[in-house]
Amino acid sequence: MLNTFRSLGVAALLTISALAVPAPPAPAGTVLTPRGHQSPDTVHEIPVGGKIVHVDASTVHVLNASGAVHKVVTFDSAAEAAAPSTDGVLPEETGWVAFASYFNNDAPIGSFQTTWNVPNAPPANTGQTLFLFNSIEPASSDAIMQPVLQWGGSAAGGGQFWAVASWYIYPGGTFFTPLVTVSTGQSLHGAIGLVGVNGNAFSYLCQFVNVGGTALEVDGGEQLVWSTLTLEAYGVTGRSSYPSGSTVFSQTNLELSNGQFPAITWATVSDPADGITTTVNVEGSTAAVITITY
Ligand SMILES: *[C@@H]1O[C@H](CO)[C@@H](O)[C@H](O)[C@H]1NC(C)=O
């Protein structure tokens, strides 16, 4: 990579390459999401105040703030299974660098909330995209609901600044609220809450409760059971792609829909090769503290 850059003989690029080696480019014709690189026609922005309704196994309606159908997204699960998918280019979990998680076998989760501060800017621009979030996923299918802090670009926009959006991703599509810019040091309160149950159909609201325009409700989906606190990254070439210091997820609360707080021992995954560690400072489901150190 350095040799390629030197052979260009461009002084400006030499200066940049001395700081950090640029990451390989993203696969052509794809956009970056918290589920890796996806085909842009499967990625949908939700109007502010809108929501998503699972109408049946193959159809999702995106509603606008007045409740009118803004977009109909259909999904042919048989065709999806048969066709090569862009997921193969970069599988979902490739980008998960460090995380803590808890699989709930108890009564349904009523709410999962945590608080963390927007980090400093990373010292180098390596074309990286960083995602920090709490999330809940179903037991079997490849879906996720997550209030996400991002640095760098994604399908939602972004750049060399921190910004937030709520994302809902399931095999039939990727949905996000419009990005809202946030500032270093700002406290973020990410929350996912159960707002309705109808048989096997579960409805959740995902948002940063202290950042307007980030609420995303998804009605009639699967039950969500696997909770995580996660650092996900793309285009990282070394330590300078990350902020310095650490991100502390504090006031981490997981309450069941019956009002109880389960006994939680958080499982952790770190990335020792890159010096990224996940530490549980306070266990449990009330005011738990989990730190990701860069
Ligand atoms: C929602 O869509 C309907 C139908 O297109 C429109 O009349 C209404 O003004 C829209 N509401 C908002 C808040 O954009």
Side-chain angles (χ1 to χ4, degrees):
M1 186 66 75
L2 276 169
N3 285 340
T4 310
F5 266 67
R6 292 216 166 95
S7 70
L8 291 174
V10 179
L13 287 180
L14 274 173
T15 306
I16 292 165
S17 69
L19 288 171
V21 180
T30 64
V31 291
L32 184 62
T33 77
R35 190 172 62 184
H37 293 88
Q38 301 291 328
S39 172
D41 59 357
T42 65
V43 180
H44 313 277
E45 182 167 311
I46 306 298
V48 171
K51 71 173 179 178
I52 294 166
V53 179
H54 283 273
V55 177
D56 58 40
S58 60
T59 312
V60 152
H61 284 177
V62 177
L63 308 186
N64 74 7
S66 315
V69 177
H70 170 75
K71 199 177 206 179
V72 176
V73 178
T74 56
F75 167 52
D76 182 342
S77 55
E80 172 92 352
S85 144
T86 52
D87 289 6
V89 176
L90 233 176
E92 175 190 3
E93 308 221 332
T94 296
W96 283 37
V97 173
F99 59 98
S101 68
Y102 167 68
F103 191 99
N104 177 53
N105 282 310
D106 219 316
I109 294 172
S111 69
F112 176 44
Q113 313 190 38
T114 191
T115 301
W116 75 99
N117 291 336
V118 179
N120 295 313
N125 170 19
T126 61
Q128 75 273 49
T129 297
L130 309 177
F131 296 120
L132 281 160
F133 54 85
N134 56 318
S135 75
I136 325 186
E137 305 188 24
S140 50
S141 86
D142 186 11
I144 188 166
M145 182 170 257
Q146 47 189 163
V148 179
L149 170 66
Q150 84 175 50
W151 172 275
S154 78
Q160 303 309 301
F161 54 89
W162 294 104
V164 295
S166 289
W167 294 73
Y168 173 64
I169 306 176
Y170 90 113
T174 296
F175 304 86
F176 61 89
T177 58
L179 269 186
V180 179
T181 302
V182 293
S183 308
T184 291
Q186 187 173 339
S187 172
L188 299 174
H189 179 177
I192 302 152
L194 183 66
V195 293
V197 185
N198 184 1
N200 289 328
F202 287 72
S203 302
Y204 296 90
L205 177 62
C206 174
Q207 63 184 323
F208 288 98
V209 299
N210 55 357
V211 182
T214 61
L216 175 58
E217 184 174 326
V218 179
D219 289 353
E222 285 184 85
Q223 184 181 352
L224 303 177
V225 298
W226 192 58
S227 300
T228 83
L229 301 154
T230 305
L231 166 67
E232 178 177 354
Y234 299 87
V236 161
T237 59
R239 299 193 63 84
S240 63
S241 300
Y242 292 106
S244 56
S246 59
T247 291
V248 181
F249 292 99
S250 62
Q251 292 300 316
T252 302
N253 295 327
L254 189 148
E255 183 175 6
L256 303 179
S257 55
N258 61 12
Q260 306 216 315
F261 290 84
I264 293 182
T265 301
W266 294 91
T268 60
V269 169
S270 296
D271 179 5
D274 288 334
I276 313 282
T277 53
T278 308
T279 307
V280 179
N281 308 104
V282 179
E283 288 280 12
S285 57
T286 57
V289 179
I290 285 125
T291 300
I292 293 177
T293 305
Y294 306 103

